Amino acid sequence: QKEVEQDPGPLSVPEGAIVSLNCTYSNSAFQYFMWYRQYSRKGPELLMYTYSSGNKEDGRFTAQVDKSSKYISLFIRDSQPSDSATYLCAMSALSYNTDKLIFGTGTRLQVFP
Amino acid sequence: GAGVSQSPRYKVTKRGQDVALRCDPISGHVSLYWYRQALGQGPEFLTYFNYEAQQDKSGLPNDRFSAERPEGSISTLTIQRTEQRDSAMYRCASSRQGRSTDTQYFGPGTRLTVL
C-alpha cells in the first residue's frame, strides 16, 4: 500500500462548479500537508499548505485536513478553465532527519467553459 | 537566477550508457532535492542536499544512482549503466533555508529516455 493515495481522475467539470480533490494517507507521522498544481509539461508549483487539522482558505481555494481520519481535501470554488491542471497532494513528517515530501499520484482536472 | 533550471531538457541514451543530469537551483537556496516522476504519477523522492552535504539518499533506487553538489550550488545526478526502467522525468527542486516547511520550487525537468 502506498503511503499516500489519490484518485488519478480525470475529473471533468463545467466552469463555475465546486471541485473536491482528496487524498488519504497511512503514516500518522505526517504533520505538514501541501497541494501542488502542475500544468501540462511544467513542474509542480505550491498552491497551499497547512500544518494542522481544520480548514485553511485562500481565495477560491480551501484546504482541509482531518488527521483523525488521515484524509485531506482541496476545494475549488467557482472553478475556471485556467484551473485545468493536475493537482498533487504532498506530505512531510517534519522530521529533523529528512525534508522529503511524499506525493500522491495527482488528480487531473479539466474545467470546460 | 529567476528559477530552477535543469539541463539537458531531453536526453535519449542507449541502454548501458552513463548519463549526468544537471540542476541549477535558485540563487542562494540552501536545499536542493531530486525527484523522479513517471508519467501519470507524482514526483518520487530520490535525494536531497543542504549546502554541499547529502542529507538523505534513501530514495535512490540502487547504487547505479548517485548525486553530488560539491560547492553547495549546482548539483549533478548521475545514472550509471542505464536501463530502460530508468526512463522518466527527473525533476530538481530547491528551497530557501533548508527547513522542511519551506516551499520547494521545481525546475522544468529532464526527460530521460533509455532505448
Side-chain angles (χ1 to χ4, degrees):
Chain A
Q1 183 189 7
K2 291 183 178 179
E3 282 188 283
V4 180
E5 299 277 359
Q6 184 175 10
D7 188 333
L11 187 60
S12 186
V13 301
E15 183 175 356
I18 296 174
V19 176
S20 172
L21 305 166
N22 312 293
C23 289
T24 59
Y25 62 96
S26 58
N27 188 346
S28 57
F30 288 144
Q31 300 291 327
Y32 183 57
F33 305 92
M34 290 142 280
W35 286 95
Y36 278 78
R37 179 173 59 195
Q38 185 171 19
Y39 289 112
S40 182
R41 289 187 289 277
K42 300 287 187 183
E45 56 179 351
L46 182 66
L47 194 58
M48 292 187 72
Y49 67 89
T50 183
Y51 295 92
S52 56
S53 284
N55 294 350
K56 181 178 181 180
E57 192 172 314
D58 183 1
R60 296 185 295 111
F61 299 88
T62 299
Q64 189 174 80
V65 174
D66 181 349
K67 287 187 178 179
S68 62
S69 301
K70 297 190 178 67
Y71 187 88
I72 70 170
S73 300
L74 177 71
F75 298 97
I76 307 174
R77 290 184 300 280
D78 188 25
S79 56
Q80 303 294 311
S82 58
D83 294 329
S84 298
T86 295
Y87 290 80
L88 298 148
C89 62
M91 308 179 189
S92 173
L94 292 181
S95 166
Y96 175 79
N97 295 319
T98 182
D99 271 2
K100 66 182 180 185
L101 297 181
I102 307 299
F103 283 84
T105 55
T107 299
R108 190 155 60 92
L109 172 67
Q110 179 72 40
V111 182
F112 56 90
Chain B
V4 178
S5 61
Q6 293 184 245
S7 61
R9 292 293 307 278
Y10 302 91
K11 177 69 177 178
V12 180
T13 190
K14 291 184 179 179
R15 184 163 49 95
Q17 298 293 305
D18 298 350
V19 295
L21 311 181
R22 172 183 164 130
C23 172
D24 197 345
I26 293 172
S27 179
H29 276 196
V30 168
S31 294
L32 185 148
Y33 310 81
W34 283 100
Y35 294 87
R36 179 169 66 177
Q37 187 171 18
L39 199 61
Q41 300 293 315
E44 175 191 12
F45 173 82
L46 296 176
T47 185
Y48 90 97
F49 295 82
N50 280 343
Y51 299 102
E52 72 281 359
Q54 192 170 21
Q55 300 293 323
D56 183 347
K57 56 181 182 179
S58 63
L60 295 176
N62 51 60
D63 60 8
R64 295 186 298 106
F65 288 73
S66 63
E68 62 175 8
R69 194 186 184 198
E71 297 178 2
S73 179
I74 293 168
S75 176
T76 302
L77 177 70
T78 301
I79 309 173
Q80 296 179 312
R81 305 181 303 281
T82 53
E83 300 177 5
Q84 286 186 326
R85 59 178 173 158
D86 299 334
S87 297
M89 177 73 81
Y90 288 82
R91 294 202 186 274
C92 173
S94 70
S95 68
R96 189 184 305 272
Q97 292 184 319
R99 295 189 298 239
S100 49
T101 52
D102 287 342
T103 299
Q104 293 187 22
Y105 297 88
F106 282 80
T110 294
R111 169 72 66 189
L112 174 65
T113 302
V114 182
L115 302 176

